[in-house]
Amino acid sequence: MRRAHAAAVAPAWRPSSALDEWVQREARPISLRQLTFFGRTLTETRLIDSANYCRLELPTRIAHRLRDIQTLPYVVVANPHLAHVYELYLRAFERFRRFPEIRSLEDNDKYCKVLEETLKEHATVIPRLAIGVLEVRGLMKPEETDKFMNTMLRSRISRRVIAEQHLALTETFNSPWHFPSAQPVHDPNAEAVGEIFLRCNAKEIVERCGKTTHELVKRAYGNHVVIPEIQIKGHLEATFPYILSHLEYIVGELLRNSIQAVIEQRKFKNAEPPPINVLICETAQHVIIRISDQGGGIPTEVLPHLWSFSKGPRRERRLENLARVPKLLGTMQELHVPGEFAQDTHKKHAKKSKYSDSSEHHGSLSSLTSRPPDLRLGIGLPMSRVYSEYWAGSLEIHSLEGFGVDAFLQISKLGNKNERLTTRATMDA
Ligand code: COI
């Protein structure tokens, strides 16, 4: 067996007829449009309906993932990080499934406390999963590991969307500016409905993420570094409804990759670095953001593993880095998983999510500076694709060897597609 510590903390499988029962239920997928229509005319009855939707949906979605973990090989789930995630999920499942029907605003307040606590408790799930699957590589086929990770991450996004949307609606309902009425009241000028920002402007998002990425890169490379300019062209007015933190995660990650590639490639050259060119293209159904850099392209040995959570030369290096700083493994919050750029841009946004994956769960600007700069888990790209496909979009990377990279992010702009809970492999099946 590969890892000596693996057997130490094998999770105790508790036979649970409750789990069997919940696994029989299917998740009920939702779309951005449904979430918007439901939340924009908020009444007490609707808020309580929303709470009861979460009450049934969260344990259903967690039950499926618990079953997935149970079906992994024993040596895999014996990994301490994966075992820890299993224990967290089991605890959350028990807590959620036992919560009685919500009938009043007081019940809802109690329920929201449980949601908030659980969201915080689960803050380390992504780094734990990422390190866990790296550590068990060799014990599972890479395709199986990636399918597992994709399913776990999609499901996690989905649960957090549902939970955070309900918390945001409750906050809106309780705010002094909201006048509860029995009749639905619709504000046509509203900027956001819960976590959904109704008019995300692609250009503004690229600009904001670009600014934060500049700051991060300066901190990592030093003030002397000349950072490539970001030039934006195309349909600059394009807007669409979206969850801002999801988009900022993806765009931030792509810009950071491009900027770093250009800087790394031009380390020993004095000339001005070539710009990052961003093209925004709006069609009837989609908004496409193309990010082009001249950072030399992706090395051929890395290319086949670009979307893998567990395989490839970069992953090997990552694991070595982690092994060199064992203390950090104890303080998972410190780990830098790409996505931290979102936190600053969020601050300016009234509807910043308190629990957003793109801020506290993936590390923060301050944690980036307090850790070795190479301590990255390297899941930014596959994670960005999970985010982009979640709301029926796509992410493609085209590498022009020796020249640069074109990244194509396609966003479904009508918001009418259901969340994608299935993985690529099952979608194709
Ligand atoms: C997770 O973050 O992993 C969750 O399961 C979210 C849930 C606590 C609402």
Side-chain angles (χ1 to χ4, degrees):
M1 196 168 67
R2 201 154 180 169
R3 314 254 151 234
H5 59 249
V9 277
W13 300 133
R14 288 158 208 150
S16 160
S17 59
L19 187 65
D20 289 342
E21 230 174 79
W22 282 86
V23 166
Q24 299 303 318
R25 303 181 191 215
E26 293 287 332
R28 288 184 290 161
I30 34 145
S31 66
L32 280 172
R33 188 176 280 182
Q34 278 170 323
L35 283 176
T36 311
F37 274 90
F38 186 86
R40 75 179 179 187
T41 50
L42 206 51
T43 61
E44 184 174 326
T45 313
R46 283 204 164 195
L47 191 65
I48 289 173
D49 285 349
S50 163
N52 282 309
Y53 171 77
C54 288
R55 195 180 64 89
L56 295 177
E57 204 58 22
L58 291 175
T60 304
R61 294 182 187 211
I62 292 188
H64 285 275
R65 299 301 64 89
L66 282 168
R67 185 50 43 92
D68 285 351
I69 301 178
Q70 288 178 345
T71 51
L72 291 174
Y74 183 76
V75 284
V76 171
V77 274
N79 174 276
H81 297 293
L82 300 181
H84 184 85
V85 171
Y86 180 82
E87 286 298 326
L88 282 177
Y89 281 9
L90 192 61
R91 223 179 305 149
F93 170 69
E94 290 298 333
R95 202 182 284 165
F96 286 151
R97 83 176 172 92
R98 287 166 199 273
F99 204 95
E101 187 183 346
I102 296 142
R103 296 170 193 270
S104 63
L105 291 176
E106 290 73 45
D107 291 348
N108 183 47
D109 286 344
K110 285 185 204 140
Y111 183 63
C112 286
K113 286 217 171 70
V114 173
L115 282 185
E116 281 174 359
E117 274 165 25
T118 320
L119 280 164
K120 278 187 200 140
E121 256 175 47
H122 286 216
T124 60
V125 162
I126 292 184
R128 288 224 180 243
L129 283 174
I131 298 172
V133 298
L134 276 180
E135 287 185 346
V136 300
R137 78 206 185 290
L139 299 175
M140 253 168 98
K141 287 191 189 138
E143 314 82 69
E144 283 171 8
T145 313
D146 286 336
K147 187 173 163 220
F148 169 75
M149 266 306 259
N150 272 297
T151 311
M152 293 296 279
L153 293 172
R154 267 170 209 263
S155 178
R156 183 172 190 272
I157 295 172
S158 82
R159 295 190 305 270
R160 294 186 89 89
V161 164
I162 295 171
E164 289 174 12
Q165 182 68 1
H166 179 64
L167 288 172
L169 292 186
T170 302
E171 202 176 304
T172 308
F173 189 85
N174 290 336
S175 83
W177 296 279
H178 182 259
F179 302 102
S181 77
Q183 293 307 313
V185 182
H186 166 50
D187 172 5
N189 297 318
E191 284 206 328
V193 173
E195 290 292 299
I196 302 153
F197 194 60
L198 299 176
R199 283 173 287 275
C200 287
N201 176 279
K203 171 184 165 268
E204 284 172 15
I205 287 166
V206 173
E207 280 174 350
R208 284 208 308 266
C209 290
K211 249 193 215 157
T212 318
T213 309
H214 266 217
E215 259 177 62
L216 284 166
V217 170
K218 285 241 178 224
R219 285 179 189 218
Y221 286 87
N223 266 338
H224 62 279
V225 73
V226 186
I227 299 180
E229 201 192 324
I230 297 172
Q231 295 180 354
I232 311 174
K233 291 206 175 92
H235 298 142
L236 304 183
E237 307 299 323
T239 62
F240 47 89
Y242 217 78
I243 295 183
L244 206 55
S245 62
H246 293 187
L247 199 58
E248 288 181 338
Y249 182 97
I250 309 166
V251 173
E253 178 62 23
L254 297 175
L255 287 177
R256 192 185 46 74
N257 281 346
S258 285
I259 291 176
Q260 272 186 351
V262 173
I263 291 175
E264 291 287 333
Q265 206 213 17
R266 305 187 67 83
K267 246 186 211 160
F268 307 108
K269 299 177 188 162
N270 286 327
E272 243 342 76
I276 312 290
N277 289 305
V278 178
L279 180 74
I280 297 164
C281 167
E282 183 175 23
T283 69
Q285 309 257 347
H286 298 111
V287 172
I288 299 147
I289 304 177
R290 185 187 70 189
I291 300 179
S292 310
D293 68 59
Q294 295 174 42
I298 298 166
T300 39
E301 74 276 13
V302 172
L303 214 45
H305 313 292
L306 208 55
W307 305 110
S308 174
F309 285 97
S310 61
K311 209 164 176 262
R314 285 185 181 164
R315 309 278 178 276
E316 295 293 326
R317 243 175 289 137
R318 242 125 236 175
L319 205 54
E320 281 163 25
N321 289 340
L322 288 169
R324 275 196 272 119
V325 278
K327 263 196 202 149
L328 274 179
L329 290 175
T331 52
M332 303 296 298
Q333 292 288 52
E334 291 293 305
L335 285 170
H336 160 52
V337 180
E340 62 275 75
F341 10 71
Q343 74 153 16
D344 260 21
T345 63
H346 256 147
K347 273 184 200 147
K348 295 178 195 103
H349 189 256
K351 287 284 166 190
K352 174 190 179 293
S353 163
K354 280 188 231 149
Y355 318 94
S356 162
D357 261 344
S358 47
S359 51
E360 61 203 282
H361 306 149
H362 288 188
S364 65
L365 206 63
S366 58
S367 67
L368 178 75
T369 53
S370 60
R371 283 179 286 96
D374 58 351
L375 188 63
R376 296 171 46 83
L377 295 175
I379 62 166
L381 261 190
M383 185 74 202
S384 295
R385 189 161 77 172
V386 173
Y387 269 122
S388 58
E389 289 178 351
Y390 185 73
W391 294 115
S394 66
L395 176 62
E396 283 178 27
I397 300 280
H398 296 276
S399 172
L400 304 144
E401 205 181 336
F403 183 79
V405 164
D406 279 353
F408 291 84
L409 169 65
Q410 179 169 282
I411 294 152
S412 172
K413 80 166 192 187
L414 303 180
N416 58 351
K417 299 278 190 328
N418 277 348
E419 52 180 338
R420 278 212 194 133
L421 297 169
T422 44
T423 62
R424 316 200 110 238
T426 47
M427 263 153 53
D428 298 342

